[in-house]
Amino acid sequence: MFDESKHPRAEDGRFTDGNGVGKTYRQNTSYSEILAADKHKKMSPAEKIASVYIDFNRDNILPELNEADLEKIGSKVNKPVLLKKSVIERNIAQHYDLTTEDFESIIAHALYSPSEIFKANDKKPYYHFAKVIEVNSKGKPEIGLALLDVDDSKNNFEIVHAHFVRERSFNLAKKKT
């Protein structure tokens, strides 16, 4: 298992040589850095996943959804995805069993390489983005589920919640809508 204490981070959140300066080992750049470098570049799903870096101390802007997924949520306009600090804090309080790596992985893989996308609420423009992340020790899949608010009147799509669910809970969520 990766021991982050042996690989401290610099102020920018990147892994360093241990002194907080010098080499950085995190090769992925954040979405904001990519946007600043080239506003017109379209990213592949793999590039979007690799670019997801969540700063747990502030609001985060993540890449736009894949064009192919827009039709599934009924949107004609693509927008960046916003992850608010308040959502991060609420998620950590409710799912204290998730590591920061788990949370980042769920967000990245569910949003940018979803296995399924389905409506989550009849009264709100919420959609579940789901991705099988791993198989547990009993051979059952763990499914990363990200709940996304896709309200057309907002400037961004907004992450509402993210967590792991078991297959039974996942199937119940799909049946609700």
Side-chain angles (χ1 to χ4, degrees), residues 1 18 20 34 36 45 48 53 55 68 71 86-87 91 99 116 129 155 159 163 170 176:
M1 180 172 213
I34 290 169
K48 290 177 183 181
Y53 166 72
D55 182 337
E71 187 176 320
S86 61
V87 170
N91 217 86
T99 64
E116 292 189 52
F129 283 67
N155 292 331
I159 296 170
H163 59 109
F170 174 66
K176 280 185 178 179

Side-chain angles (χ1 to χ4, degrees), residues 31 34 41-49 51 63 66:
Y31 180 62
I34 290 169
K41 182 182 182 212
K42 291 286 182 189
M43 295 170 63
S44 71
E47 289 172 317
K48 290 177 183 181
I49 290 168
S51 76
N66 299 320

Side-chain angles (χ1 to χ4, degrees), residues 8-19:
R9 293 180 186 249
E11 287 182 25
D12 66 358
R14 296 175 188 225
F15 292 112
T16 67
D17 63 0
N19 298 321

Side-chain angles (χ1 to χ4, degrees), residues 29-36 43 48 51-56 58-65 79-85 88 107 111-112 155-159:
T29 54
S30 72
Y31 180 62
S32 315
E33 292 167 325
I34 290 169
L35 274 179
M43 295 170 63
K48 290 177 183 181
S51 76
V52 172
Y53 166 72
I54 296 172
D55 182 337
F56 288 81
R58 64 179 178 91
D59 291 353
N60 293 260
I61 298 291
L62 304 176
E64 295 177 342
L65 298 176
K79 313 178 222 187
V81 175
L82 174 63
L83 174 59
K84 293 180 180 176
K85 182 181 177 196
I88 293 170
I107 298 289
L111 290 181
Y112 304 114
N155 292 331
N156 302 292
F157 295 133
E158 294 183 14
I159 296 170

Side-chain angles (χ1 to χ4, degrees), residues 117-147:
I117 299 171
F118 56 94
K119 187 107 171 97
N121 190 314
D122 290 333
K123 295 181 173 116
K124 295 180 182 178
Y126 287 2
Y127 280 82
H128 283 298
F129 283 67
K131 178 71 174 184
V132 175
I133 304 287
E134 59 188 60
V135 175
N136 68 20
S137 61
K138 296 179 182 178
K140 303 216 181 218
E142 289 224 286
I143 300 164
L145 204 59
L147 182 61

